[in-house]
Amino acid sequence: MKKEHSEFHSRRDVLRLGAAGAAAITGSVLAKTSQAYDCATTISQTQGPFWVDELLNRSDIRSDPSTGAIEAGLPLRLMINVAELQDGQCVPAADTWVDVWHCNALGAYSDVSGQGNPNNIGQKWLRGYQVTDAHGNVRFTTIYPGWYQGRTVHIHYRIRKFSGPTTTFNFTSQMYFDDAVSDEIFATESPYNQHTGRNPASNQADNLYNSSLHTRLSYNGDHVIASFNAVIDSVSRVIGAGVTPSDLDSMEHMHDFGGGAPRLRQA
Amino acid sequence: MNSRMNRSLVWAMATVMMSFGPSTFGDVIVLTDNLSEPTGGVESASDTVTFAVSFLTDDSMRQLSSVTLHMGNPSQSGTATLHVYEDGGLEPGAYVGTLTPPQTYASDPAETTFGGGAIPLAADRLYWLVLETSGGTFTWSFSESNAGSGDGFTNEWGTSPDAGAAWWTNDSFCLQFRAVASTECACPADINGDTRVDGADIHAFTQCVIGDEGSCLCADLDGVDGIDANDLALFVADLLGGATCE
C-alpha cells in the first residue's frame, strides 16, 4: 500500500524542536511548553475562468446531479477549517459558505466550455459547497484533481458570508498539493495515467503557486486524505455593504466564461 | 506562626515549580495537554459519528497511563471506549490497545479520565486516540485556540461519520484532552501491554531483540541499556513463570 505524507513530518519536527529547546532551558527530560500557531490571513488568488455559482449544497461532489454518474479518480477526503482573525487570534468561523471546484482526472471542468476545456455545459461534477459548523469545518468527498496545460494541481475555493440575501464577504483562493504525491498518482492510478504530457510538472513552474496554500496530505493507497486551513478577516475586509467581492482578485475574471459576479443566496 | 509561614512558603514554591518546571509527576509525563485552553464548543459523538485526536511521543519509549477528555454524556446513557491506534497517514491506522473507561460520566462536559492503561508506546511516533461510543450521546469539547502544551501536542483531530471507516482530519481547534504516559514499565516482560506475560509477547520481544522499531520499554528487563541475551534469559524466565501484573 502506498503511503506518503506531505507537510506533516516537517510540522512534527517543528513541534519537537520547540520542545527540545525548552527542555534545554529547564534541564528537564520534557518541559511543559505551550505551542501556539500563527494566525495570519490566507492570501487570496484569482477565481480563474471556470467558476460557476451552482449553489450545490453537498459534501460528496463527485457526481453529476442530473445523471448520478460519478467522476472516475482516486477518492480524496478533504477537510477545510475556516477561522476568523479576531484581535490577533484565530477563532472558528461558523455559518460560512465554502465552495470548492476543480478539474477531473483528465483536466476538464464541468459546466464550462472553451479555454482548453471540452464542452461540459450542463454537467456539474466536482463542484459544491458546504456551510461551516460551529467548529469552522466543512468536509468534502471528491477525487484527487488532475492537471491541465499551464497549471499545477490545485483546487479552487470560495469563502462567503451572508447577511440575509446580501453577500457580506467573498473571498477566493486556491489550494495546492505536493508534487511527489501528484507524480506518483499520475503515474500509477487510472485514469490519471491516461493523461500524458504534463507540463509544467511542478508547483514551482506554476505562476500562481504559493507554498502557503499547501494542503496537508497523505496518500494512503486507495484514497488520499487532505486538510486545509483558511483564515479570513471578514470584518475589516468588507469594503461596503452589499459590495462583493471584497477581494479584488475575485473580480479579475468576472467576465470570463463561467465566471461572473456571484449570485445571491436564494432565500 | 513561623511554621505556618514556612508551610505557606513551601506550598508556594511547589506551586511555582509545578507551573514552570517540567510536566513530570513522579514516574509519569504529560505528553500533550490542551485542557486549559478556552472551549469553543462541542462535537457530538454517537454510534456512527466517531472522533479522534493524535499525539506524539518523544524520543523515549513510554507506556500510556491515562487520557483525560473534556467530555459529557447529556443522554446519561450508553458507553464510551477510548482506543489507541498507530498513525495510518493523517488518520488512525493499526489498533494498539484500549484504555479503561470511567464508571460514570457527567452530563455537561467535564474532565473525564480513561485510565488503567499500560499501553506500550514507541519513541518518536504519532498515535491516535479514537473515542467509540454506543447507545448514547456523548459530547467532546473543542478548543477555541490552537495552543497546547507538551512535547506531543499536534493540534490534530479527526472525525468519521461512519464509525471509523473513513476519516476526515484537520489541525485546527483540536478536541480537548490530556495524555499521560509512564516513564517506567508497569509490567516487565509484558511487551504488548495486556497485563500478562504470555505467548502473545514473544513476537514483540523478538522484534525488540532484533532492533526493529517498536514499543520495547518492558523488554529491557535487566535495566541495562539495550535489549540483549541477558534480557532474553529474563524474558524466558518470566514467560515460563506466567507472570501477571493485573
Side-chain angles (χ1 to χ4, degrees):
Chain A
M1 177 178 284
K2 303 147 191 160
K3 188 172 289 182
E4 190 160 349
H5 292 258
S6 169
E7 296 292 299
F8 194 47
H9 289 302
S10 60
R11 184 173 62 83
R12 286 196 222 174
D13 292 343
V14 168
L15 292 176
R16 192 168 294 115
L17 282 173
I25 293 169
T26 61
S28 63
V29 177
L30 265 187
K32 189 164 188 174
T33 57
S34 183
Q35 295 148 351
Y37 285 49
D38 289 340
C39 186
T41 52
T42 303
I43 64 165
S44 63
Q45 292 203 321
T46 177
Q47 69 179 20
F50 303 125
W51 158 252
V52 184
D53 199 1
E54 306 282 12
L55 296 170
L56 283 172
N57 183 351
R58 57 181 185 166
S59 180
D60 189 338
I61 65 171
R62 292 175 296 175
S63 67
D64 176 53
S66 61
T67 66
I70 292 177
E71 278 299 297
L74 188 64
L76 169 64
R77 299 174 195 147
L78 172 64
M79 189 167 182
I80 301 174
N81 180 270
V82 183
E84 182 85 46
L85 182 62
Q86 281 183 1
D87 301 324
Q89 302 291 318
C90 275
V91 296
D95 198 28
T96 303
W97 287 37
V98 181
D99 275 273
V100 295
W101 69 102
H102 65 87
C103 70
N104 66 9
L106 301 178
Y109 285 84
S110 67
D111 213 9
V112 294
S113 179
Q115 301 198 47
N117 211 77
N119 186 347
N120 289 324
I121 299 290
Q123 301 177 59
K124 298 180 178 179
W125 30 263
L126 306 184
R127 296 178 182 275
Y129 80 89
Q130 290 282 276
V131 181
T132 58
D133 57 20
H135 205 155
N137 295 306
V138 292
R139 296 196 311 265
F140 291 100
T141 300
T142 184
I143 61 167
Y144 197 82
W147 60 272
Y148 54 96
Q149 201 65 38
R151 289 304 315 278
T152 191
V153 181
H154 64 282
I155 289 179
H156 296 268
Y157 63 94
R158 178 184 293 279
I159 298 173
R160 286 183 284 190
K161 293 179 84 75
F162 296 92
S163 176
T166 303
T167 309
T168 58
F169 180 75
N170 195 337
F171 173 90
T172 63
S173 193
Q174 302 178 32
M175 65 185 79
Y176 298 95
F177 297 81
D178 186 274
D179 279 332
V181 174
S182 296
D183 289 344
E184 185 171 358
I185 290 171
F186 295 165
T188 59
E189 297 281 351
S190 178
Y192 303 93
N193 55 9
Q194 297 162 27
H195 192 199
T196 57
R198 182 172 174 235
N199 185 21
S202 70
N203 288 325
Q204 294 302 328
D206 184 287
N207 288 333
L208 284 172
Y209 169 76
N210 186 298
S211 61
S212 73
L213 299 174
H214 243 280
T215 53
R216 296 169 71 241
L217 188 65
S218 185
Y219 176 22
N220 291 349
D222 61 353
H223 67 277
V224 175
I225 188 164
S227 72
F228 185 81
N229 298 326
V231 180
I232 61 173
D233 186 357
S234 68
V235 177
S236 62
R237 289 179 113 176
V238 172
I239 58 175
V243 178
T244 58
S246 52
D247 191 306
L248 293 179
D249 278 340
S250 300
M251 298 290 282
E252 182 184 346
H253 290 272
M254 68 177 296
H255 300 300
D256 289 345
F257 185 90
R263 299 172 207 159
L264 296 181
R265 181 167 59 164
Q266 294 173 332
Chain B
M1 185 64 142
N2 283 342
S3 142
R4 189 177 300 165
M5 285 180 64
N6 286 340
R7 280 202 300 271
S8 299
L9 187 59
V10 168
W11 176 248
M13 289 174 64
T15 304
V16 169
M17 289 174 71
M18 289 286 283
S19 301
F20 296 100
S23 56
T24 55
F25 304 99
D27 63 344
V28 298
I29 194 162
V30 177
L31 292 173
T32 180
D33 186 357
N34 68 344
L35 288 174
S36 62
E37 297 299 320
T39 293
V42 296
E43 294 281 0
S44 292
S46 65
D47 289 9
T48 54
V49 179
T50 310
F51 292 93
V53 290
S54 80
F55 67 93
L56 287 161
T57 53
D58 63 337
D59 57 3
S60 298
M61 294 176 286
R62 307 284 182 193
Q63 287 195 321
L64 186 62
S65 313
S66 68
V67 173
T68 300
L69 312 185
H70 198 256
M71 63 176 288
N73 178 216
S75 66
Q76 286 293 288
S77 62
T79 59
T81 313
L82 197 64
H83 303 292
V84 183
Y85 287 82
E86 292 180 353
D87 182 35
L90 297 187
E91 62 186 338
Y95 172 78
V96 175
T98 300
L99 290 164
T100 305
Q103 296 292 319
T104 59
Y105 303 93
S107 295
D108 295 327
E111 292 191 10
T112 306
T113 298
F114 294 71
I119 297 173
L121 303 176
D124 292 319
R125 202 71 72 83
L126 186 105
Y127 289 94
W128 288 86
L129 300 163
V130 175
L131 180 67
E132 179 183 283
T133 65
S134 176
T137 301
F138 290 83
T139 56
W140 190 351
S141 304
F142 60 85
S143 174
E144 196 181 40
S145 84
N146 285 318
S149 61
D151 193 34
F153 177 67
T154 66
N155 203 30
E156 185 176 46
W157 68 282
T159 182
S160 170
D162 51 13
W167 288 96
W168 280 256
T169 58
N170 190 275
D171 63 345
S172 279
F173 310 117
C174 188
L175 301 172
Q176 293 187 277
F177 76 108
R178 175 194 303 125
V180 175
S182 171
T183 57
E184 296 173 5
C185 172
C187 185
D190 173 25
I191 318 298
N192 65 359
D194 65 358
T195 72
R196 293 184 302 276
V197 181
D198 54 21
D201 297 300
I202 294 174
H203 176 71
F205 184 83
T206 305
Q207 295 300 110
C208 293
V209 170
I210 63 176
D212 271 14
E213 287 186 10
S215 308
C216 303
L217 186 62
C218 292
D220 184 12
L221 296 168
D222 62 1
V224 178
D225 279 351
I227 296 152
D228 52 24
N230 293 331
D231 298 299
L232 175 60
L234 293 169
F235 177 72
V236 171
D238 281 342
L239 188 65
L240 295 176
T244 179
C245 300
E246 286 181 290

